Amino acid sequence: MPKAHIIGLGRSGVAAARLLKKQGWDVTLSDRSDNDALRQQQQLLAADGIQVHLNQSFEPEKSLDWVVVSPGVPWDLPALVKARQMGITTLGEMELAWRNLNACPWVGITGTNGKTTTTALIAAIFQAAGLNAPACGNIGYAATELALKGFDEDRATPEYPDWVIAEISSYQVEASETVAPQIGVWTTFTPDHLSRHGTLENYFNIKASLLERSQQKVLNGDDPYLRKSLSDRWPNACWTSIKGKSELLGNPDKGVYIEDGWAVAMGEAVVPVDALKMPGEHNLTNLLMAVGVARLAGIDKAAIADAVANFPGVSHRLELIRTWHSIDFINDSKATNYDAAQVGLASVAAPVILIAGGEAKEGDDTGWLQTIEAKVAQVLLIGDAADAFAKRLEQVGNPRYEIVYGMERAVIRGAELAEELEAQVVLLSPACASFDQYQNFEQRGDHFRQLCLEMLPE
């Protein structure tokens, strides 16, 4: 019986463990953490014959055939390097999913920002066309959950989707060397995750490797870095531009652009851009990439138009929570870096009360600070980055901030200031990771939502 070890007791790790167990593997799983929720999960997995070690770091053993890594585990972890040196097959959870699901075509979406909205919109379009095309990866299902979902011992062969629509982060690309989508999408590229990947060049090359393996490519031609770095690399790529046909890179007959208020793909008007009920130019970019993917996949215009018109957006990305006393409270918790936060802030009506902070990342904050100066009446600073952000605002001559540290105080104070300063929006757009106070950006956004709904009187 082959033997596998799964690192990480998150959603993807649990699905990977269950999948391999159903396929006849001897499976163990480990996690460095230990809490009540993990212990409950440990008991459930034990009932299925999967041994779980909590509060324990992975150490490779010669008896192992495979090590499967959850997305949050660094690929250059010394224990993983050692496992590879010992000849143990080491793969990411996304790679495991690919090995089980590559009989059906994939759309693989990567990029620094814009991945989630683009992924969700692509999945909505494919589903409007009657296809079984679930979103997975960093959105929806863990990728191995789809493989597990299709595995049934009563059938001779597993039943899998028509398409897999996968949001694939740089962490997942790095640990998935053979994932080769039918259609690859690159949304944006700005400095991020450099504490993990080391250099901007390494981060870029990791993402580029996914597109290199993709049969067809859709690229955001309005992203300055992609435009500069990739203009000649893939001559048959489908480039997009919200600025019109004249700004397209590559073959204009293969591109997607806006003309007279319509998204035009491969020379044919497909859908009016005002059908998308999401604010911001960046969402027009996301729309063009989704339309490009859909047309490359052969989806008709009617299904595209229907999906776009009914698309509700995604949680934690410019998500309107409620309107209180004519003030919109908007959750943009997914804005975990300066560029994403700048885009979110630029998309809402001024003046704004901005809630920002968390676990700070490296990056260029210039554009973000300029947009704050132009649109923000007051910044409320939370989390570990609060003091550093306050100092940075002082450095650029902006004294309009308060340090509140916690989300509860931020919501209360945000409501007070919005009325006092006649602000139209209270916006949570942190420009930071969430790990100082929350498990992930979703938990942070959910807490903001809960507080807005519970603490503001009708």
Short mmCIF file of all heavy atoms in Angstrom, two decimals, residues 50-100:
data_model
loop_
_atom_site.label_atom_id
_atom_site.label_comp_id
_atom_site.label_asym_id
_atom_site.label_seq_id
_atom_site.Cartn_x
_atom_site.Cartn_y
_atom_site.Cartn_z
N ILE A 50 -7.59 7.80 9.00
CA ILE A 50 -6.52 8.75 8.68
C ILE A 50 -5.94 9.28 9.99
O ILE A 50 -6.64 9.93 10.77
CB ILE A 50 -7.04 9.92 7.82
CG1 ILE A 50 -7.60 9.39 6.49
CG2 ILE A 50 -5.94 10.95 7.58
CD1 ILE A 50 -8.35 10.43 5.68
N GLN A 51 -4.68 9.01 10.21
CA GLN A 51 -4.04 9.43 11.45
C GLN A 51 -3.60 10.89 11.35
O GLN A 51 -2.99 11.29 10.36
CB GLN A 51 -2.84 8.55 11.77
CG GLN A 51 -2.24 8.76 13.15
CD GLN A 51 -1.14 7.76 13.45
OE1 GLN A 51 -0.67 7.06 12.56
NE2 GLN A 51 -0.71 7.71 14.70
N VAL A 52 -3.91 11.69 12.37
CA VAL A 52 -3.59 13.12 12.38
C VAL A 52 -2.70 13.44 13.57
O VAL A 52 -3.02 13.09 14.71
CB VAL A 52 -4.87 13.98 12.43
CG1 VAL A 52 -4.50 15.47 12.51
CG2 VAL A 52 -5.75 13.70 11.23
N HIS A 53 -1.58 14.10 13.30
CA HIS A 53 -0.66 14.54 14.36
C HIS A 53 -0.75 16.05 14.48
O HIS A 53 -0.41 16.78 13.54
CB HIS A 53 0.77 14.13 14.03
CG HIS A 53 0.96 12.66 13.81
ND1 HIS A 53 0.89 11.74 14.83
CD2 HIS A 53 1.19 11.95 12.67
CE1 HIS A 53 1.08 10.52 14.34
NE2 HIS A 53 1.26 10.62 13.03
N LEU A 54 -1.19 16.53 15.65
CA LEU A 54 -1.29 17.96 15.90
C LEU A 54 -0.07 18.45 16.67
O LEU A 54 0.62 17.67 17.32
CB LEU A 54 -2.57 18.27 16.68
CG LEU A 54 -3.88 17.93 15.97
CD1 LEU A 54 -5.07 18.23 16.87
CD2 LEU A 54 -4.01 18.67 14.64
N ASN A 55 0.16 19.75 16.57
CA ASN A 55 1.31 20.37 17.25
C ASN A 55 2.60 19.65 16.89
O ASN A 55 3.46 19.40 17.75
CB ASN A 55 1.08 20.36 18.77
CG ASN A 55 2.01 21.30 19.51
OD1 ASN A 55 2.49 22.29 18.94
ND2 ASN A 55 2.30 21.00 20.76
N GLN A 56 2.72 19.33 15.62
CA GLN A 56 3.89 18.54 15.18
C GLN A 56 4.34 19.00 13.80
O GLN A 56 3.54 19.15 12.88
CB GLN A 56 3.53 17.06 15.13
CG GLN A 56 4.68 16.16 14.70
CD GLN A 56 4.32 14.69 14.78
OE1 GLN A 56 3.80 14.23 15.80
NE2 GLN A 56 4.56 13.93 13.72
N SER A 57 5.62 19.25 13.65
CA SER A 57 6.19 19.61 12.36
C SER A 57 6.53 18.34 11.57
O SER A 57 6.87 17.31 12.15
CB SER A 57 7.45 20.46 12.54
OG SER A 57 7.13 21.67 13.18
N PHE A 58 6.47 18.45 10.27
CA PHE A 58 6.74 17.31 9.40
C PHE A 58 8.23 16.98 9.34
O PHE A 58 9.07 17.87 9.23
CB PHE A 58 6.24 17.62 7.99
CG PHE A 58 6.75 16.67 6.94
CD1 PHE A 58 6.31 15.35 6.90
CD2 PHE A 58 7.68 17.09 5.99
CE1 PHE A 58 6.78 14.47 5.94
CE2 PHE A 58 8.15 16.23 5.02
CZ PHE A 58 7.70 14.91 4.99
N GLU A 59 8.53 15.70 9.42
CA GLU A 59 9.88 15.20 9.20
C GLU A 59 9.79 14.01 8.25
O GLU A 59 9.03 13.08 8.50
CB GLU A 59 10.55 14.77 10.52
CG GLU A 59 11.03 15.92 11.39
CD GLU A 59 12.11 16.75 10.72
OE1 GLU A 59 12.89 16.19 9.92
OE2 GLU A 59 12.16 17.97 10.98
N PRO A 60 10.53 14.03 7.14
CA PRO A 60 10.39 12.96 6.14
C PRO A 60 10.92 11.62 6.64
O PRO A 60 11.89 11.56 7.40
CB PRO A 60 11.21 13.48 4.96
CG PRO A 60 12.20 14.43 5.56
CD PRO A 60 11.50 15.06 6.74
N GLU A 61 10.25 10.56 6.18
CA GLU A 61 10.65 9.19 6.49
C GLU A 61 10.85 8.43 5.19
O GLU A 61 10.15 8.67 4.20
CB GLU A 61 9.59 8.49 7.34
CG GLU A 61 9.25 9.19 8.64
CD GLU A 61 8.07 8.55 9.33
OE1 GLU A 61 7.51 7.57 8.76
OE2 GLU A 61 7.68 9.01 10.42
N LYS A 62 11.78 7.50 5.17
CA LYS A 62 12.09 6.75 3.96
C LYS A 62 10.89 5.95 3.45
O LYS A 62 10.80 5.65 2.26
CB LYS A 62 13.26 5.80 4.22
CG LYS A 62 14.60 6.50 4.37
CD LYS A 62 15.71 5.50 4.55
CE LYS A 62 17.07 6.19 4.67
NZ LYS A 62 18.18 5.21 4.86
N SER A 63 9.97 5.62 4.36
CA SER A 63 8.82 4.80 3.96
C SER A 63 7.79 5.57 3.15
O SER A 63 6.88 4.98 2.56
CB SER A 63 8.14 4.22 5.20
OG SER A 63 7.68 5.27 6.05
N LEU A 64 7.92 6.89 3.09
CA LEU A 64 6.94 7.70 2.38
C LEU A 64 7.12 7.63 0.87
O LEU A 64 8.24 7.67 0.37
CB LEU A 64 7.03 9.17 2.82
CG LEU A 64 6.47 9.53 4.20
CD1 LEU A 64 6.77 11.00 4.51
CD2 LEU A 64 4.97 9.29 4.24
N ASP A 65 5.98 7.57 0.16
CA ASP A 65 6.00 7.68 -1.30
C ASP A 65 5.74 9.12 -1.74
O ASP A 65 6.37 9.62 -2.66
CB ASP A 65 4.96 6.75 -1.91
CG ASP A 65 5.26 5.30 -1.63
OD1 ASP A 65 6.18 4.75 -2.27
OD2 ASP A 65 4.58 4.72 -0.76
N TRP A 66 4.77 9.76 -1.08
CA TRP A 66 4.38 11.11 -1.44
C TRP A 66 4.28 12.00 -0.21
O TRP A 66 3.90 11.53 0.88
CB TRP A 66 3.00 11.12 -2.10
CG TRP A 66 2.97 10.77 -3.56
CD1 TRP A 66 3.99 10.26 -4.31
CD2 TRP A 66 1.85 10.90 -4.44
NE1 TRP A 66 3.58 10.05 -5.60
CE2 TRP A 66 2.27 10.45 -5.71
CE3 TRP A 66 0.56 11.35 -4.28
CZ2 TRP A 66 1.41 10.43 -6.82
CZ3 TRP A 66 -0.30 11.33 -5.38
CH2 TRP A 66 0.13 10.87 -6.64
N VAL A 67 4.60 13.29 -0.40
CA VAL A 67 4.25 14.34 0.56
C VAL A 67 3.40 15.36 -0.20
O VAL A 67 3.80 15.84 -1.26
CB VAL A 67 5.50 15.04 1.14
CG1 VAL A 67 5.08 16.16 2.08
CG2 VAL A 67 6.38 14.05 1.85
N VAL A 68 2.22 15.66 0.34
CA VAL A 68 1.32 16.63 -0.28
C VAL A 68 1.25 17.87 0.61
O VAL A 68 1.00 17.76 1.81
CB VAL A 68 -0.08 16.04 -0.50
CG1 VAL A 68 -1.01 17.06 -1.14
CG2 VAL A 68 0.00 14.78 -1.35
N VAL A 69 1.45 19.03 -0.01
CA VAL A 69 1.62 20.27 0.73
C VAL A 69 0.42 21.18 0.53
O VAL A 69 0.02 21.45 -0.60
CB VAL A 69 2.91 20.99 0.26
CG1 VAL A 69 3.14 22.25 1.06
CG2 VAL A 69 4.10 20.05 0.36
N SER A 70 -0.15 21.67 1.63
CA SER A 70 -1.22 22.67 1.55
C SER A 70 -0.64 24.01 1.12
O SER A 70 0.56 24.27 1.29
CB SER A 70 -1.91 22.79 2.92
OG SER A 70 -2.51 21.56 3.29
N PRO A 71 -1.48 24.92 0.56
CA PRO A 71 -0.96 26.14 -0.05
C PRO A 71 -0.14 27.03 0.88
O PRO A 71 0.80 27.69 0.45
CB PRO A 71 -2.22 26.88 -0.51
CG PRO A 71 -3.21 25.80 -0.74
CD PRO A 71 -2.93 24.76 0.29
N GLY A 72 -0.47 27.06 2.17
CA GLY A 72 0.23 27.96 3.07
C GLY A 72 1.60 27.48 3.52
O GLY A 72 2.32 28.21 4.22
N VAL A 73 2.00 26.28 3.13
CA VAL A 73 3.28 25.72 3.57
C VAL A 73 4.38 26.13 2.59
O VAL A 73 4.28 25.84 1.39
CB VAL A 73 3.20 24.18 3.66
CG1 VAL A 73 4.54 23.59 4.09
CG2 VAL A 73 2.09 23.77 4.62
N PRO A 74 5.45 26.80 3.05
CA PRO A 74 6.52 27.23 2.14
C PRO A 74 7.15 26.06 1.39
O PRO A 74 7.47 25.03 1.99
CB PRO A 74 7.54 27.89 3.09
CG PRO A 74 6.75 28.29 4.28
CD PRO A 74 5.68 27.26 4.44
N TRP A 75 7.32 26.23 0.08
CA TRP A 75 7.85 25.17 -0.76
C TRP A 75 9.32 24.88 -0.45
O TRP A 75 9.80 23.79 -0.71
CB TRP A 75 7.67 25.57 -2.22
CG TRP A 75 7.89 24.51 -3.24
CD1 TRP A 75 8.76 24.54 -4.28
CD2 TRP A 75 7.22 23.24 -3.33
NE1 TRP A 75 8.66 23.39 -5.03
CE2 TRP A 75 7.72 22.56 -4.46
CE3 TRP A 75 6.23 22.60 -2.57
CZ2 TRP A 75 7.29 21.30 -4.85
CZ3 TRP A 75 5.80 21.34 -2.95
CH2 TRP A 75 6.32 20.71 -4.07
N ASP A 76 10.02 25.87 0.11
CA ASP A 76 11.43 25.68 0.45
C ASP A 76 11.63 25.35 1.92
O ASP A 76 12.74 25.49 2.45
CB ASP A 76 12.26 26.91 0.07
CG ASP A 76 11.78 28.18 0.77
OD1 ASP A 76 10.75 28.12 1.49
OD2 ASP A 76 12.42 29.24 0.60
N LEU A 77 10.60 24.88 2.58
CA LEU A 77 10.72 24.41 3.96
C LEU A 77 11.82 23.35 4.03
O LEU A 77 11.85 22.44 3.19
CB LEU A 77 9.38 23.81 4.41
CG LEU A 77 9.19 23.52 5.89
CD1 LEU A 77 8.96 24.81 6.67
CD2 LEU A 77 7.98 22.57 6.07
N PRO A 78 12.76 23.46 4.98
CA PRO A 78 13.88 22.51 5.02
C PRO A 78 13.44 21.05 4.98
O PRO A 78 14.08 20.22 4.32
CB PRO A 78 14.59 22.86 6.33
CG PRO A 78 14.32 24.33 6.50
CD PRO A 78 12.93 24.54 5.97
N ALA A 79 12.35 20.72 5.67
CA ALA A 79 11.89 19.33 5.67
C ALA A 79 11.44 18.89 4.28
O ALA A 79 11.61 17.73 3.89
CB ALA A 79 10.75 19.15 6.67
N LEU A 80 10.86 19.82 3.49
CA LEU A 80 10.45 19.47 2.13
C LEU A 80 11.65 19.34 1.20
O LEU A 80 11.69 18.47 0.33
CB LEU A 80 9.49 20.54 1.58
CG LEU A 80 8.10 20.59 2.21
CD1 LEU A 80 7.28 21.70 1.57
CD2 LEU A 80 7.39 19.26 2.08
N VAL A 81 12.63 20.22 1.38
CA VAL A 81 13.87 20.10 0.61
C VAL A 81 14.52 18.74 0.88
O VAL A 81 14.95 18.04 -0.04
CB VAL A 81 14.84 21.25 0.96
CG1 VAL A 81 16.18 21.03 0.28
CG2 VAL A 81 14.24 22.59 0.56
N LYS A 82 14.53 18.37 2.15
CA LYS A 82 15.11 17.08 2.53
C LYS A 82 14.32 15.92 1.92
O LYS A 82 14.91 14.94 1.43
CB LYS A 82 15.13 16.95 4.06
CG LYS A 82 15.76 15.67 4.57
CD LYS A 82 15.77 15.65 6.10
CE LYS A 82 16.35 14.34 6.64
NZ LYS A 82 16.32 14.31 8.13
N ALA A 83 12.98 16.04 1.92
CA ALA A 83 12.15 14.98 1.33
C ALA A 83 12.47 14.80 -0.15
O ALA A 83 12.60 13.67 -0.64
CB ALA A 83 10.67 15.31 1.54
N ARG A 84 12.63 15.90 -0.86
CA ARG A 84 12.95 15.81 -2.28
C ARG A 84 14.33 15.19 -2.50
O ARG A 84 14.52 14.39 -3.43
CB ARG A 84 12.86 17.20 -2.92
CG ARG A 84 11.44 17.73 -3.01
CD ARG A 84 11.32 18.96 -3.90
NE ARG A 84 11.83 20.16 -3.28
CZ ARG A 84 11.11 21.00 -2.55
NH1 ARG A 84 9.83 20.74 -2.31
NH2 ARG A 84 11.64 22.10 -2.05
N GLN A 85 15.26 15.53 -1.64
CA GLN A 85 16.60 14.95 -1.73
C GLN A 85 16.57 13.45 -1.47
O GLN A 85 17.39 12.70 -2.01
CB GLN A 85 17.53 15.64 -0.73
CG GLN A 85 17.86 17.09 -1.09
CD GLN A 85 18.61 17.81 0.00
OE1 GLN A 85 18.65 17.37 1.16
NE2 GLN A 85 19.22 18.94 -0.34
N MET A 86 15.61 13.01 -0.65
CA MET A 86 15.46 11.58 -0.35
C MET A 86 14.72 10.84 -1.46
O MET A 86 14.52 9.62 -1.37
CB MET A 86 14.72 11.41 0.98
CG MET A 86 15.50 11.90 2.20
SD MET A 86 14.48 11.99 3.71
CE MET A 86 13.97 10.27 3.92
N GLY A 87 14.26 11.57 -2.49
CA GLY A 87 13.55 10.94 -3.59
C GLY A 87 12.07 10.78 -3.35
O GLY A 87 11.39 10.06 -4.10
N ILE A 88 11.53 11.42 -2.33
CA ILE A 88 10.10 11.35 -2.04
C ILE A 88 9.37 12.35 -2.94
O ILE A 88 9.73 13.53 -2.99
CB ILE A 88 9.83 11.68 -0.56
CG1 ILE A 88 10.55 10.69 0.35
CG2 ILE A 88 8.33 11.68 -0.27
CD1 ILE A 88 10.55 11.08 1.82
N THR A 89 8.37 11.90 -3.65
CA THR A 89 7.59 12.79 -4.51
C THR A 89 6.90 13.83 -3.64
O THR A 89 6.15 13.50 -2.72
CB THR A 89 6.55 12.00 -5.30
OG1 THR A 89 7.23 11.07 -6.16
CG2 THR A 89 5.69 12.91 -6.15
N THR A 90 7.14 15.10 -3.94
CA THR A 90 6.59 16.21 -3.15
C THR A 90 5.76 17.08 -4.07
O THR A 90 6.26 17.57 -5.09
CB THR A 90 7.72 17.04 -2.52
OG1 THR A 90 8.60 16.16 -1.80
CG2 THR A 90 7.18 18.08 -1.57
N LEU A 91 4.48 17.27 -3.74
CA LEU A 91 3.59 18.01 -4.62
C LEU A 91 2.59 18.82 -3.82
O LEU A 91 2.26 18.49 -2.68
CB LEU A 91 2.86 17.07 -5.59
CG LEU A 91 1.97 15.97 -5.02
CD1 LEU A 91 0.89 15.62 -6.03
CD2 LEU A 91 2.79 14.72 -4.72
N GLY A 92 2.14 19.90 -4.41
CA GLY A 92 1.10 20.71 -3.80
C GLY A 92 -0.27 20.09 -3.97
O GLY A 92 -0.50 19.24 -4.83
N GLU A 93 -1.20 20.57 -3.16
CA GLU A 93 -2.57 20.07 -3.23
C GLU A 93 -3.19 20.32 -4.59
O GLU A 93 -3.95 19.50 -5.12
CB GLU A 93 -3.40 20.72 -2.12
CG GLU A 93 -4.88 20.37 -2.12
CD GLU A 93 -5.75 21.41 -2.83
OE1 GLU A 93 -5.25 22.52 -3.12
OE2 GLU A 93 -6.92 21.09 -3.10
N MET A 94 -2.85 21.45 -5.23
CA MET A 94 -3.36 21.75 -6.56
C MET A 94 -2.83 20.75 -7.59
O MET A 94 -3.56 20.32 -8.50
CB MET A 94 -2.98 23.18 -6.96
CG MET A 94 -3.54 23.65 -8.28
SD MET A 94 -5.35 23.86 -8.29
CE MET A 94 -5.54 25.26 -7.18
N GLU A 95 -1.58 20.37 -7.45
CA GLU A 95 -1.00 19.37 -8.35
C GLU A 95 -1.70 18.02 -8.19
O GLU A 95 -1.96 17.32 -9.19
CB GLU A 95 0.50 19.21 -8.05
CG GLU A 95 1.20 18.12 -8.81
CD GLU A 95 1.47 18.44 -10.26
OE1 GLU A 95 1.39 19.63 -10.64
OE2 GLU A 95 1.76 17.52 -11.02
N LEU A 96 -2.01 17.65 -6.96
CA LEU A 96 -2.75 16.41 -6.73
C LEU A 96 -4.11 16.47 -7.41
O LEU A 96 -4.54 15.49 -8.05
CB LEU A 96 -2.92 16.17 -5.23
CG LEU A 96 -3.75 14.96 -4.82
CD1 LEU A 96 -3.14 13.66 -5.34
CD2 LEU A 96 -3.93 14.90 -3.30
N ALA A 97 -4.79 17.61 -7.31
CA ALA A 97 -6.08 17.76 -7.97
C ALA A 97 -5.92 17.62 -9.49
O ALA A 97 -6.72 16.95 -10.14
CB ALA A 97 -6.68 19.12 -7.62
N TRP A 98 -4.89 18.26 -10.04
CA TRP A 98 -4.65 18.18 -11.48
C TRP A 98 -4.45 16.74 -11.94
O TRP A 98 -5.00 16.32 -12.97
CB TRP A 98 -3.43 19.03 -11.84
CG TRP A 98 -2.94 18.82 -13.24
CD1 TRP A 98 -1.85 18.10 -13.63
CD2 TRP A 98 -3.51 19.33 -14.45
NE1 TRP A 98 -1.70 18.13 -15.00
CE2 TRP A 98 -2.72 18.87 -15.53
CE3 TRP A 98 -4.63 20.12 -14.73
CZ2 TRP A 98 -2.99 19.19 -16.85
CZ3 TRP A 98 -4.91 20.43 -16.05
CH2 TRP A 98 -4.09 19.97 -17.10
N ARG A 99 -3.70 15.98 -11.19
CA ARG A 99 -3.44 14.59 -11.58
C ARG A 99 -4.71 13.75 -11.58
O ARG A 99 -4.78 12.73 -12.25
CB ARG A 99 -2.39 13.98 -10.64
CG ARG A 99 -1.03 14.64 -10.77
CD ARG A 99 0.04 13.93 -9.96
NE ARG A 99 1.32 14.64 -10.06
CZ ARG A 99 2.49 14.10 -9.73
NH1 ARG A 99 2.55 12.85 -9.28
NH2 ARG A 99 3.60 14.81 -9.83
N ASN A 100 -5.71 14.20 -10.83
CA ASN A 100 -6.98 13.48 -10.78
C ASN A 100 -8.05 14.07 -11.70
O ASN A 100 -9.04 13.40 -11.99
CB ASN A 100 -7.52 13.47 -9.35
CG ASN A 100 -6.81 12.46 -8.47
OD1 ASN A 100 -7.21 11.30 -8.39
ND2 ASN A 100 -5.74 12.89 -7.82
#
